[in-house]
Structures are given as C-alpha cells and as structure tokens.
Amino acid sequence: MSCVICALPAALPIVPARSFLRRSLFFLALTFLALTVLLAAPLQAAISATSTTLTVGPGSSVSAGTVLRLQATVDATGTAVTLGTVTFRDGTAVLGAVQVVGRGVAYTHGTASLKLALGPGSHSLMASYGGTSSGASQFASSASAAVSVTVTLGAPSSTSTVITSTGNPGAYTLFGKVSAVSAIAATGAVSFLDQSNGNLLLGSAALTGASQSDSWGSLVPETTGASTYGVIVADLNGDGIPDLITTDYGGTKISVLLGNGDGTFQAHVDYALGHFRLG
C-alpha cells in the first residue's frame, strides 16, 4: 500500500479569514478614495485673472448737475467677463453695484454702467470687480485705476458774513464768519471796515479751514395715485437721477414719479397691476 504526503510550501503564510477581510476592505477603501479624487479633480475650474478699466464721461471737468456715465469693462486675457458684479466708489464711499452685462444685444457684454450726478468738488472714482467663486468658469477680482473728476459750480453760491468782537476799547479783536450753502467751502479773505470813518480799512484776514454742517431741505409734498403703501427709489430711465415707485394701499396699481434732479419729481404716472399686490 502506498501513501502520498502533501506538504505546504514553507514560504506561504496562512492568513486568518477575518484579517484577510479587513485588509481587503481597507484596499477597496483606498481604491475608492483614489478614484474619488481623480474624478473630482477635473471639476475644479481654474481661476482666470481679470483686468478692470473705468471710463467716465462726458469729461474730467463738468459743471454741477451734469450726469456722469461711469462704465467699467472687465476682461480676462482678451475675453469679456459676463459674470459677477462691479462696485463703483468715490474714494471710499460706495456709489452703487451693477451686474456685468452677459446677455442681450442692447449693451456691450463684459461691461457695467452707472449714471449719476456728483456734488461740486474733486472726486476720485474707481471700479472694482468682485470676481466669482463658483461655476464652471471662475474669475479673480480686480480693480481699475482711479479716475479724477472735478465738478464745478455753475453759478456763485450766496454767502452771508457775521462780525463779532472781543476785548475792550482800544484793544479789540474782530472775527468774521462766512457761511455758504454749498458743497465747496468758501475761500479768500475778509476785510474789516470802519463804517463810521468812511469805510476805513482796519485790516484783512484770510479765511481758515471750514466746517461742514449737513441739513435737510424743506419738505416738498408729492402726490401719488392713491394712498401709498410702499416706496422704492431707483433710476428707471437711465438719466442718473433717482425716481420713485409707489404702490397704493389697495394693491391694484403703482405710481411712477420721475425725478427732476433737484429733489422734486414730475407728476405721477399710474400703471394697473391686474392683481392684488401690497408691495
């Protein structure tokens, strides 16, 4: 009778079933993670650098009341950027934020425009593009160079002068205070005259730095189509002057009042809504 003895190779380790299962699951987890990273990587869009330029018209020196047109153009290496918003500033003051044009044919794609009238004085205007952070196309933020604009008074502002004094006879100190209803401080000198002695010139003194006092003008009532429930301020006709939209309390129509640019508005024009609306 013959007997066959089979021996396992000494170099082949025997792995318990539970340990083998853990190693298999770990390998599968690493494989899944690697595949996930490889699949997700192409979805991360590259961020394109942009440049923003600002043009201001009709010129760099205009008279008070002139409507300026600020136009920003956003470009990414020769391609118009059609996503995101542009913020216009006068120094650090925000003038407004406008969506970049990306559709239609009425306006140039990749531009954002704002119309408004600025007060008298010197202004440093700038446009900044905020960039985008999501979507297949992503763009970095950028800012334009500053554009200087000077707004001059169309007519001289009226002034008033008050004289005061301190001291005793023979040793008076005279003060002159000049007030002007204007966004520009008065400059120049004040002359002190002795009216009891043929307007003899006693002396002159240059005006020192001015202080500004802001206040509201007188109330100007405006008539709407019905009892008003809400008011919205917007530039409806693109002339740079704020206009008003009001809704009536009954909710059946709105009233539009176009601005005149001096704080007053034209007569209201009513539009039927056709449905009950309160705002």
Side-chain angles (χ1 to χ4, degrees), residues 85-225:
T85 59
V86 171
T87 301
F88 296 93
R89 289 182 171 85
D90 181 5
T92 59
V94 175
L95 300 175
V98 181
Q99 180 76 28
V100 175
V101 176
R103 296 182 180 180
V105 296
Y107 302 95
T108 304
H109 289 193
T111 64
S113 300
L114 179 68
K115 290 183 178 181
L116 77 169
L118 297 174
S122 298
H123 302 270
S124 180
L125 307 178
M126 187 188 70
S128 58
Y129 172 65
T132 59
S133 58
S134 62
S137 299
Q138 296 186 28
F139 300 97
S141 60
S142 58
S144 72
V147 176
S148 298
V149 174
T150 301
V151 180
T152 59
L153 290 173
S157 298
S158 60
T159 64
S160 61
T161 304
V162 176
I163 185 173
T164 58
S165 65
T166 60
N168 300 305
Y172 285 112
T173 300
L174 303 179
F175 301 89
K177 179 180 180 181
V178 179
S179 300
V181 182
S182 172
I184 299 177
T187 58
V190 173
S191 297
F192 297 91
L193 307 177
D194 184 356
Q195 293 182 328
S196 64
N197 192 15
N199 288 330
L200 175 67
L201 178 62
L202 301 177
S204 299
L207 291 175
T208 58
S211 59
Q212 182 174 329
S213 177
D214 297 322
S215 61
W216 292 98
S218 301
L219 174 66
V220 179
E222 300 289 349
T223 303
T224 60

Side-chain angles (χ1 to χ4, degrees), residues 4 6 13 18 24 35 47 53 67 94 96 100 119 128 136 159 172-174 185 197 210 220 250 256 259 266 272:
V4 178
C6 297
R18 180 176 300 178
S24 299
L35 289 175
I47 300 178
T53 56
V67 174
V94 175
V100 175
S128 58
T159 64
Y172 285 112
T173 300
L174 303 179
N197 192 15
V220 179
V256 174
Q266 301 176 26

Side-chain angles (χ1 to χ4, degrees), residues 17 19 27 36 45 58 61 70 98 134 152 228 231 233-234 249 251 258 268 272:
S19 176
F27 176 75
T36 302
S61 181
L70 284 62
V98 181
S134 62
T152 59
T228 300
V231 180
V233 180
Y249 190 78
L258 298 179
H268 65 90

